[in-house]
Amino acid sequence: MKRTLVDVDYGSSDEEAEPTPVPEQKKRYEELRKQLPTLSSELTVLAPVDDPSKHQGRTRTRPYVDGQFVAHVYIPIRPGHASKKFYETIVRLVNRVRDVVPEMHSLVTNSADSPSNGLTPLHVSLSRPIYLRAHHRDEFRTGVQSAAREQTQ
């Protein structure tokens, strides 16, 4: 079988790489764009607005990223009969610190509308905030649970 040589002109690198848009196509695109309906407000997800006045003056240390979740590892302290004295000690300690640092805002309260008979649930953090993508959450949770099981055996 014989092959024939074909003379092909590939152009030079000096020539313009992008073709110029045809004005008719551009007009058609603009017309279609104007015809599309706007999305309902229920379908649009807005990024959270940081309002420090709603969070005791706290601001994010890292900006909000859509699809990123903040997790941390902690041990809950459930106030009961045995820990009521511990809880009262924490409240006294927080009140003393507030005397020294008046701008401190405590999340420890002793009000009737809080859960657990007026005692706010407490926890001891074992980690700093960990930033996870959505597909990493389950793997992270099972990893922490299996590590905790290994430590208790």
Side-chain angles (χ1 to χ4, degrees):
M1 184 170 193
K2 243 185 184 183
R3 292 189 182 173
T4 59
L5 294 175
V6 179
D7 185 25
V8 179
D9 182 22
Y10 289 108
S12 69
S13 60
D14 295 339
E15 291 180 8
E16 195 173 311
E18 294 181 12
T20 56
V22 179
E24 294 171 14
Q25 289 177 342
K26 194 171 184 179
K27 285 181 187 177
R28 179 74 178 138
Y29 171 75
E30 291 297 326
E31 289 172 10
L32 285 173
R33 190 168 171 212
K34 288 178 185 176
Q35 292 174 1
L36 293 174
T38 58
L39 286 176
S40 169
S41 62
E42 292 132 8
L43 296 175
T44 55
V45 179
L46 300 175
V49 177
D50 289 332
D51 186 0
S53 66
K54 294 181 180 178
H55 305 286
Q56 297 83 38
R58 295 176 301 200
T59 56
R60 292 179 187 269
T61 56
R62 289 183 58 169
Y64 170 80
V65 176
D66 191 27
Q68 189 177 61
F69 297 86
V70 182
H72 67 280
V73 180
Y74 66 92
I75 299 172
I77 300 174
R78 292 184 174 77
H81 297 294
S83 63
K84 187 168 183 161
K85 189 172 182 175
F86 171 74
Y87 188 85
E88 291 169 352
T89 304
I90 295 287
V91 170
R92 281 196 309 274
L93 178 66
V94 166
N95 289 335
R96 285 186 184 167
V97 170
R98 196 176 293 147
D99 291 340
V100 177
V101 184
E103 63 272 4
M104 184 189 98
H105 179 83
S106 171
L107 299 177
V108 177
T109 60
N110 199 358
S111 64
D113 26 320
S114 359
S116 307
N117 300 327
L119 302 177
T120 304
L122 301 174
H123 71 270
V124 176
S125 292
L126 301 177
S127 73
R128 290 184 162 194
I130 302 163
Y131 299 91
L132 304 171
R133 301 299 287 174
H135 60 279
H136 291 138
R137 291 184 296 177
D138 291 333
E139 185 180 340
F140 176 75
R141 183 182 303 117
T142 56
V144 169
Q145 288 172 345
S146 66
R149 267 189 238 107
E150 288 175 10
Q151 293 301 316
T152 58
Q153 294 175 355

